[in-house]
Amino acid sequence: MPSRPQHRLVLVNPNTDPAVTETMLSIARPYLPADVLLEGVTAPFGSPLILDPAALDTASRAVLALAPGLRRAGCEGVVVAAFGDPALDELRISLDCPVTGLAEAAMARAALGGQRFCVVTTTPGLATAIAAAADRYGHGSAFAGTFCTTGDPVALMRDAPRLEDALYRLCETVAAREQVKAIVIGGGPLAGAARALAGRVPALLVEPIREAMLMAVARLAVPA
C-alpha cells in the first residue's frame, strides 16, 4: 500500500535552549494526526529564557533570522513557540505557509464565547506585552489580566515540583478572586507544568502548546 501523505510542521523555539525545544516537541507530538510530522528549530541567538521586552525583541530578530531556512525547508506550517509570539506577523509575511503563535491560539481558546480569562505565568516583565497581545487578537474585553509567581523565574523554572506548586497555588487564588472561566498558563517552557495541573484547577486550564498544535493542524486542513 502507498504510504500516507506527510505534512510537515516546524516548531520554532524563540529561546536558545535546545533542551526546551525537545521538551516542547515531546509535549506537542501527541496532539498531532499520524500524517503530520513535527520538527523543531531553536533560535540561533538570544536568551535561554525570555523574561522581558528586550529579550522578546531579540527573540523576534532571531525568529526572523530563521525565515530563509524555513522557506528552503518547504514546511507547510510553522508554530512560534514562545508566549510573546515574537515576529509572528513578520514571519507570516516572509513565508508562504500558515504561521501560528502560542498566545494567539491559547487566547482564542480561553476567550471562546467571550468568557472571562486570565494568564498565569512566571515572567512579570512580559505582563505589558501579554496585555497588548490580548488587545491585538481582539480579546481585550474578556482579558482579566496577567498574574505572576513570585521570586526568580529562572530558579523557579529549574525546580519542576516547586514550579508546579507555585502555579497551582496562584491559579487557585486567581480563579476564586477574579472569577475567570479560563486560565492560560503563559509560556512554552511551562507546558509540562500546565499538563501536570490539568484537572486540578477550578477553571478551564489552557495549555498553549496544545492549542497551537490544534490550530496549526486546522490551518493545514488536515483531519485530526
Side-chain angles (χ1 to χ4, degrees), residues 83 107 119 126-140 143 145-146:
F83 198 70
M107 289 183 179
V119 172
L126 294 176
T128 299
I130 292 169
D135 285 336
R136 185 166 67 251
Y137 297 135
H139 308 307
F143 181 57
T146 299

Side-chain angles (χ1 to χ4, degrees), residues 10-24:
V10 175
L11 181 148
V12 173
N13 176 14
N15 74 50
T16 59
D17 189 343
V20 170
T21 306
E22 291 303 316
T23 297
M24 291 194 291

Side-chain angles (χ1 to χ4, degrees), residues 34-223:
D35 60 347
V36 175
L37 301 178
L38 182 66
E39 302 167 9
V41 178
T42 304
F45 58 86
S47 304
L49 193 61
I50 300 168
L51 300 175
D52 54 38
L56 190 61
D57 287 344
T58 302
S60 294
R61 296 195 298 274
V63 168
L64 280 179
L66 295 169
L70 293 170
R71 282 197 299 271
R72 289 192 297 270
C75 54
E76 296 170 73
V78 172
V79 173
V80 179
F83 198 70
D85 290 353
L88 183 66
D89 293 335
E90 295 88 345
L91 206 59
R92 283 174 172 157
I93 294 169
S94 299
L95 301 179
D96 295 322
C97 66
V99 183
T100 300
L102 256 60
E104 173 196 24
M107 289 183 179
R109 177 65 185 91
L112 197 63
Q115 67 185 1
R116 183 174 168 85
F117 76 97
C118 71
V119 172
V120 164
T121 189
T122 59
T123 50
L126 294 176
T128 299
I130 292 169
D135 285 336
R136 185 166 67 251
Y137 297 135
H139 308 307
S141 61
F143 181 57
T146 299
F147 302 90
C148 299
T149 55
T150 58
D152 178 14
V154 176
L156 192 59
M157 290 290 295
R158 290 174 178 164
D159 187 339
R162 185 172 155 234
L163 173 64
E164 182 182 328
D165 183 66
L167 290 171
Y168 171 67
R169 291 175 182 276
L170 183 55
C171 285
E172 279 211 316
T173 298
V174 169
R177 187 181 67 210
E178 302 297 328
Q179 298 296 300
V180 292
K181 299 297 185 182
I183 297 174
V184 178
I185 302 297
L190 301 179
R195 176 179 284 186
L197 294 177
R200 296 173 55 197
V201 173
L204 172 68
L205 194 74
V206 179
E207 195 273 280
I209 288 181
R210 175 185 185 275
E211 301 307 325
M213 290 301 113
L214 296 178
M215 182 175 281
V217 168
R219 287 172 170 172
L220 288 175
V222 176

